Amino acid sequence: MTVLAHRTDTVTRDALAVLQPGFEGTTAPDWLLRQVGEGLTAVGLFGRNITSPAQLAALTAQLRTERDDVLVAIDEEGGDVTRLEVRGGSSFPGNLALGAVDDTDLTRSVARELGRRLAECGVNLNWAPSADVNSNPDNPVIGVRSFGADTHLAARHTAAYVQGLQAAGVAACTKHFPGHGDTNVDSHHALPRIDVDLDTLQARELIPFKAAIEAGTKAVMSAHILVPALDPTRPATLSPQILTGLLRGELGYEGLIVTDGMEMHAIAGTYGIERGSVLAIAAGADAICVGGGLADEATVLRLRDALVTAVREGALPEERLADAAARVRALAAWTRGARPDARPEGSRASGIGQTAARRAVLVTGSAKPLTAPYVATLAPVANIAVGDETPWGVAAELAELLPGTEAGVFPEGSRAEDVLAAAGDRTVVAVVRDAHRHPWMTEALDALVEARPDTVVVEMGLPRARPRGALYIATHGASRVCGRAAAEVIAGV
């Protein structure tokens, strides 16, 4: 009886150890602290949990009163996907901008500085970088989150990013294995399918992940995508062939495997999060990410109990759960003992994000000097990974440089006539995001430029549509520093 009780307690603690849940609020709720004390080894943070660096540091310190080696994870890619600066926009450009510059030393330095800021706040695991090759320009969820469509460019910048982040003592989590770039469906909403042959996968999707592994990435995140060439029945997150056979066996990866968010519809809507979590651990995953949408104690207990029950019923080998928990604890131990590199001297480190954003700007054409333009932001619906709470555009930044600037936001379906009526006689600065994916946006731009040839166009997404307007600016991302870089070009400073 004592042996059984000890075994059950060990299994329960291991089940807690493999979970990476989220929570509501800017301080740790009592239930979360209690679960950390009982064996929970990791916690995930989102924009809702953060108001300032000081508040975040206090929050992570609070968590570590229960466990000094707790993994505090965050989805901080920089660029469009930011949690650290969710209310004001990121101080760093995202991957596409870094890929456009194509300076791996710069990418390494940007990642190191971002990692330093995370480490100062007590965050030690970053669900980044995205190693996806953006081979499908109509991809609704990757886009500017990728370093680009060139496989080897994506590979060298993925490796540099991993090195920079981990030099700051923050574990990198390279995602979304085996590659989410050739999808036309957002896995937050449905299960994407990639129908390419094995040779293409080996020559394109897998190369950046091999580079990340060689660079020493401490974690890899699986994708909720179906890749029939690798497994015709199960998505990567639930596939032994992909996680154990390919990632562990063929690629020789020995670090932590983390799932993408299990409440995403690609898993929750097909397998359910309890069964999905059991299948993921059985397939070779070591950590279950959940909490973007489900962020309460009931979810943690449901997943814990599902894993424990699966062990008791023989559906999940106890040794596999124990191995997964051991990998989580090993990463926690690494973060506790990590010795960050010294911060570069001088002002270059603090301003490197803006420097990188300026270098990423691509300018076509020219415009007459502007005094008080009208900034019209043609705003598509944001994907869930980016979120709609983070501001983007150039209006605020341009108003600082050109007093008297006015602005308006025009949602999906807006027309050129709407913009012109609001702008009056002012020169229009039309700001768009992935215009090539939105016919209404393309139509509005064409009509604007025809009516007003002096229109300035700023593309803050993937610059696939043809340049148009007197001045066309591609920023390769919509972070705050990208907006500032575009505003400087428009204002001529």
Side-chain angles (χ1 to χ4, degrees):
M1 190 71 174
T2 303
V3 173
L4 179 60
H6 174 72
R7 175 181 178 275
T8 302
D9 182 66
T10 299
V11 171
T12 300
R13 292 183 68 84
D14 285 348
L16 279 173
V18 303
L19 302 181
Q20 295 188 353
F23 61 96
E24 300 284 349
T26 54
T27 59
D30 290 342
W31 71 261
L32 184 63
L33 295 173
R34 182 170 60 253
Q35 294 301 329
V36 171
E38 292 182 4
L40 189 69
T41 310
V43 173
L45 298 180
F46 298 86
R48 63 177 181 255
N49 305 122
I50 301 168
T51 59
S52 70
Q55 170 270 325
L56 179 55
L59 169 57
T60 59
Q62 183 187 17
L63 290 167
R64 292 194 170 95
T65 61
E66 292 292 334
R67 185 186 185 104
D68 63 0
D69 66 343
V70 67
L71 286 169
V72 181
I74 197 169
D75 193 7
E76 181 58 52
E77 299 177 14
D80 292 29
V81 180
T82 179
R83 313 305 179 212
L84 195 62
E85 299 180 277
V86 67
R87 290 166 181 81
S90 179
S91 299
F92 302 92
N95 285 3
L96 188 66
L98 294 172
V101 177
D102 196 13
D103 178 345
T104 53
D105 288 338
L106 179 67
T107 295
R108 192 175 296 108
S109 296
V110 166
R112 185 190 302 116
E113 178 62 12
L114 188 150
R116 185 193 65 78
R117 295 192 191 186
L118 291 175
E120 283 186 347
C121 296
V123 176
N124 53 14
L125 171 59
N126 191 9
W127 293 320
S130 290
D132 310 293
V133 179
N134 198 53
S135 51
N136 181 357
D138 292 326
N139 192 314
V141 68
I142 302 300
V144 298
R145 301 168 65 198
S146 166
F147 288 109
D150 181 274
T151 296
H152 295 287
L153 179 145
R156 60 180 174 265
H157 286 277
T158 295
Y161 199 104
V162 167
Q163 292 163 349
L165 196 60
Q166 293 185 172
V170 175
C173 182
T174 305
K175 59 188 183 185
H176 306 80
F177 187 82
H180 209 309
D182 195 19
T183 62
N184 57 12
V185 173
D186 185 342
S187 50
H188 291 90
H189 302 298
L191 179 62
R193 177 186 176 107
I194 296 181
D195 284 306
V196 298
D197 58 34
L198 189 57
D199 288 344
T200 300
L201 290 169
Q202 292 283 1
R204 188 177 66 187
E205 270 74 18
L206 297 184
I207 297 297
F209 290 97
K210 291 178 181 178
I213 292 168
E214 291 174 3
T217 187
K218 295 296 179 182
V220 169
M221 178 176 283
S222 66
H224 302 331
I225 55 175
L226 187 66
V227 188
L230 299 174
D231 187 332
T233 60
R234 288 187 177 177
T237 294
L238 312 182
S239 171
Q241 294 96 310
I242 294 175
L243 298 188
T244 299
L246 176 59
L247 183 54
R248 291 271 188 237
E250 184 176 333
L251 301 187
Y253 176 65
E254 298 180 354
L256 190 76
I257 300 176
V258 183
T259 72
D260 206 345
M262 296 300 285
E263 67 269 53
M264 293 165 63
H265 198 72
I267 298 297
T270 52
Y271 294 86
I273 64 168
E274 293 96 335
R275 180 169 176 245
S277 296
V278 170
L279 291 173
I281 297 296
D286 305 304
I288 302 296
C289 175
V290 66
L294 300 172
D296 54 25
E297 186 173 22
T299 299
V300 173
L301 297 180
R302 283 166 57 198
L303 296 184
R304 180 202 66 184
D305 293 348
L307 292 167
V308 170
T309 299
V311 169
R312 289 175 176 168
E313 295 179 350
L316 174 64
E318 182 177 351
E319 296 76 13
R320 171 76 275 272
L321 180 62
D323 174 63
R327 290 181 190 275
V328 174
R329 295 176 185 128
L331 180 57
W334 177 85
T335 61
R336 185 170 56 178
R339 296 291 179 267
D341 291 351
R343 182 182 182 184
E345 295 182 0
S347 60
R348 184 172 184 270
S350 61
I352 194 167
Q354 189 64 73
T355 298
R358 289 180 182 128
R359 291 180 63 185
V361 167
L362 178 65
V363 179
T364 303
S366 61
K368 65 181 182 181
L370 304 182
T371 51
Y374 184 85
V375 180
T377 302
L378 308 184
V381 176
N383 70 58
I384 291 176
V386 173
D388 58 8
E389 66 267 59
T390 303
W392 66 279
V394 304
E397 288 74 16
L398 192 56
E400 291 181 4
L401 300 175
L402 298 177
T405 295
E406 293 187 3
V409 177
F410 297 83
E412 186 167 350
S414 297
R415 301 172 304 163
E417 292 88 340
D418 303 321
V419 174
L420 293 171
D425 294 333
R426 295 169 180 262
T427 300
V428 175
V429 177
V431 184
V432 297
R433 205 170 185 176
D434 292 337
H436 70 284
R437 293 201 303 110
H438 304 283
W440 70 271
M441 199 180 291
T442 299
E443 292 171 10
L445 282 180
D446 286 341
L448 275 173
V449 172
E450 183 177 355
R452 298 277 187 86
D454 61 346
T455 295
V456 174
V457 177
V458 182
E459 171 61 83
M460 303 195 78
L462 202 65
R464 292 284 299 184
R466 61 179 176 81
R468 47 170 63 77
L471 177 66
Y472 176 86
I473 303 169
T475 61
H476 300 94
S479 69
R480 176 172 52 81
V481 289
C482 291
R484 177 73 186 189
E488 291 172 350
V489 172
I490 296 167
V493 300

